[in-house]
Each structure stands twice: as structure tokens, then as C-alpha cells.
Amino acid sequence: MSSTKGLLSGAARLRNELNPDTPPEESNDSNDEQGNHLNDYGELRLPEMHGNIHVITIIGQVEGHLIMPSQNKATKYEHIIPQLVAVEQSPEIEGLLVILNTVGGDVEAGLALAEIIASMSKPTVSLVLGGGHSIGVPIAVAADYSFIAPTATMTIHPIRLTGMVVGVQQSFDYLEKMQDRIIDFVARHSHISAAQFRQMMTTTGELARDVGTVVVGEAAAECGLIDETGGLSQAMDKLRQMIEDHKASEQGQEARIDPPREKAPADKPGPIFKRPHRDWRKGEKP
Amino acid sequence: MIWSIISEEDIFAGQPVDMPALRSVDHLGKRLLIRPGSDGWGEIVSLLSTAPADFLDGRFAPGTRIRL
């Protein structure tokens, strides 16, 4: 009986999909949810897979305080930030891969994402594919280790201001402050100096319609903006290696914490509960 | 403030008439971006998840129609 119901509901769904303009028929089975349709069609159900590495993609525009019209492909920070928090919180997730193909977007949303990625305790690796332009640059360098595909590009150009300008000097000062926030973040999280990054921002003669610099693949790694050129396998290998180092570090800490308090000499300090910050780029290990 | 290689004029050029705004919904425990249709059904545009395995699940494949 249940198999007959399943066949009937499957047939109803098939009719709905073949004739999307006609009103869909309701299934008689109240328990029959959308999730069963793979069984109805006889397709194989993929086995459950629980990986320890999760991925976040930053694609199109980085959408912030203003909702972008839907012709823009946009990554919304209200979607990404809870995901980052969930990754940090979940004990099953041991590493995060951030894949970027972005044209830039909202400065504050981009910096928010960059800061949250940089402050995560779990190993993070970023991979720039296609393009990691403008506000994509701080997001890319925020990860513990960054990769760029050999053909990917990063455009570094000044922040612009459009619309009515009330006070020229004040507007200029504000723009400069915003720019300094970005330059400071990039210099702190990559091997490029603030002076060199600022110079790249204001280079003339490279872009037809703007000032700035375009760095392609290897050049991004050579100037110290990105750690290495590579693709998915290199990024995954690096992340796995960092996860192993991270685990070893935690086990080392637990070994230090493990001795019971009553056996510890009274004149020695107590166990260290706070994990020291380690910079993966400098190869710092516990 | 926008910092992008696309000009603000192009970003905020206005919404094409034939392109309804996307909606984010929860479906089978996953958050999805869908394009709602006028018939009470919606088409999945993208899956918002960090778990790579979720993207192998055909129930959340872009283009799949779900009842809203």
C-alpha cells in the first residue's frame, strides 16, 4: 500500500515538473515530503559524508549595508558570518577553506568577514580563483595561509566616492581613513608592507579607467600579498597539514594541563588554559 | 561604501523587470536561496552551507523546484 502511494505521489510530482505552468497536484500522503523524491525516481542516495573541512565561498559582490539589485551575484555577510561562527563552534569541523572569486563590494562587510576569519582559532586557508579584487584582497589575506591560482588576478585600486560631496576636505579625510583601515589590515596579515600596498593602490598607467595595479597569480605571491600559487589540491594539503599541527598543539597543551592539581607543586603556576596565538605563516609551532 | 572593480552605476543600475528578488528559506534543515514563482513553488538558486557534502545532495541542486 505504501509503495503504491509512493508511486502515485512520484507520478504526481513528475507531472508537476513536466508541466511547470499547471498548478501542482497535492500529494495524498501527508508524510510524503520533498526529501523523498530521490527514492521515488529510483535514484541512488549518496552516502552520508561528514568531512572535517568545511568551505565558504565568497563570490560576486560582497553585499553589506545596501541590498544589491538581483542582477548582481552577491555574497551576503548576514549569511556568511553565522556560518563562520558555526564553523568555529562545531567540534567536528577542524579546518576552513575560503574560496574567493569576487569583484569586491562593501568595505565594512568585507572587513567584517576578513576580521572574523583572521580571528578564528581553527586553521584557515584561502584560495583565490578567477579574481579576488578590491575588498576581496583583505578577505584573501585574512586566512592563516593563502593561495592564488596561476591565472587568477587581484586588482588593488583606491576607494572611490560617488554622489554629492558636502565637505571636500572632510570627505577626503574620511576616504583616507577607510583606505588606511584596509591597508593596515592587509599589511598585518600578509608579507607586503603598507607602503608597497599603498603604492600599488595609486599606480598609474596600468589600468585603462582607473589608477591601481593588477597582480596576476605568481606576481601576487612574489610581492608577498599571497603566500603561494596553487590550486585546490595544494590548498587542501596545506589545510590538512595545518589541522595535524593544530591537533598536535592541542594535545601538547592537554599533556601540560593533564597532571592533577593536587600533585602539582604549590610554588608552580597553574595550568595554562589559554591557547597561545601562533602565526602559521612564520612556521611557528608549539 | 563600495570598493569594487564594478562601478556603482552598474551595481545599482536597477532591477530587471523579469527577474524577481531572491528569497532565503529553510528547507529540510538547510538554508537555500530561491527564486519564487507565481505558482507557489520556488526554484533553488543556491544552497547556503559550509558542508561540501550538502552540495552533492540532489535535493538541494540549483534548479530544483520546491513548494514554498
Side-chain angles (χ1 to χ4, degrees), chain A residues 24 45-46 54-55 105 157 160, chain B residues 3-4 11 41 50 56 59:
Chain A
R45 190 71 187 274
L46 289 160
H54 274 218
V55 63
H157 61 103
R160 285 183 291 263
Chain B
W3 191 33
S4 170
I11 293 169
W41 287 63
T50 60
L56 299 175
R59 292 175 300 173

Side-chain angles (χ1 to χ4, degrees), chain A residues 133-208:
Chain A
H133 308 287
S134 315
I135 200 65
V137 176
I139 300 174
V141 303
D144 294 325
Y145 202 87
S146 53
F147 283 91
I148 184 167
T151 54
T153 56
M154 299 179 95
T155 307
I156 300 147
H157 61 103
I159 296 177
R160 285 183 291 263
L161 184 67
T162 55
M164 188 174 70
V165 174
V166 177
V168 173
Q169 185 60 47
Q170 291 85 343
S171 300
F172 176 77
D173 290 345
Y174 178 66
L175 268 181
E176 201 164 34
K177 268 185 195 167
M178 294 294 275
Q179 211 158 269
D180 285 346
R181 287 166 73 185
I182 294 163
I183 294 169
D184 180 53
F185 184 90
V186 172
R188 275 192 288 120
H189 292 89
S190 70
H191 296 298
I192 200 167
S193 68
Q196 192 183 353
F197 191 72
R198 192 184 293 274
Q199 191 187 7
M200 288 168 92
M201 258 185 172
T202 52
T203 299
T204 54
E206 270 213 33
L207 302 176

Side-chain angles (χ1 to χ4, degrees), chain B residues 34-50:
Chain B
I34 56 116
R35 180 168 287 122
S38 55
D39 55 357
W41 287 63
E43 184 184 306
I44 297 176
V45 175
S46 65
L47 166 67
L48 305 170
S49 170
T50 60

